Amino acid sequence: MNILVSACLLGVACRYDGKSKPDNNVIKLMEKHNLIPFCPEVTGGLPTPRHPSEIVGEKVINDIGEDVTAQYKKGAEEALKIAKMYNCKYAILKEKSPSCGKGKIHNGKFDGGYIEGDGITARLFIENGIKVLGESEINCL
Ligand code: SF4
């Protein structure tokens, strides 16, 4: 089946620090499924590398105080467009990211702490009936 995947988990260097976060278990799923790599933050218009951001209330703010909510929302909309185009029932999204994280994200204080919550793209996917799995939850696939 077609599964949309956070591009950084497949080795694409699209993270805020200019690096990737390849996950061998996710990459191995390519033997069984058609994995579609996507990075919402880059597609939303942010550069790589970029300032790290966290969700603060209803906004996304980077570590120099800039409001990047619009870019995060655009990236999420584009990700949903691709997921629907390929009829993805599942998405594998990078845990803890302010875009991709599901269930647990940074607390908005830039102090390394976490709170319960979903990233902007993960939230939109869930609202649209796409099952979101973190990279540690893929055994069912
Ligand atoms: S937005 Fe998602 S895909 Fe892009 S670097 Fe962050 S976690 Fe990876």
Side-chain angles (χ1 to χ4, degrees):
M1 66 180 157
N2 290 336
I3 304 173
L4 189 137
V5 180
S6 294
C8 58
L9 290 174
L10 295 175
V12 178
C14 53
R15 294 184 80 221
Y16 74 94
D17 57 5
K19 296 178 181 170
S20 63
K21 199 81 175 173
D23 184 295
N24 287 335
N25 292 327
V26 177
I27 292 168
K28 203 164 164 30
L29 276 181
M30 274 194 233
E31 295 167 10
K32 288 203 287 185
H33 300 292
N34 182 33
L35 305 186
I36 301 156
F38 193 88
C39 177
E41 292 178 20
V42 169
T43 306
L46 295 169
T48 305
R50 55 189 168 276
H51 285 277
S53 301
E54 297 191 5
I55 294 177
V56 183
E58 291 302 305
K59 294 184 174 180
V60 188
I61 307 290
N62 69 17
D63 67 348
I64 55 168
E66 292 170 336
D67 184 342
V68 288
T69 311
Q71 291 93 324
Y72 272 68
K73 285 190 170 171
K74 178 166 188 276
E77 295 286 349
E78 296 300 310
L80 181 63
K81 198 188 290 179
I82 297 289
K84 284 184 170 175
M85 190 184 295
Y86 284 92
N87 199 23
C88 296
K89 306 277 183 251
Y90 287 89
I92 303 170
L93 300 184
K94 175 81 189 72
E95 290 162 1
K96 297 170 194 163
S97 152
S99 287
C100 296
K102 185 206 70 178
K104 183 178 176 186
I105 53 172
H106 285 283
N107 62 11
K109 297 176 182 167
F110 294 93
D111 62 2
Y114 295 100
I115 54 170
E116 281 183 21
D118 301 318
I120 304 295
T121 297
R123 198 183 295 172
L124 190 64
F125 276 22
I126 293 164
E127 285 168 4
N128 281 272
I130 297 171
K131 175 94 174 147
V132 175
L133 302 172
E135 65 271 26
S136 67
E137 301 176 311
I138 60 172
N139 284 346
C140 60
L141 294 173

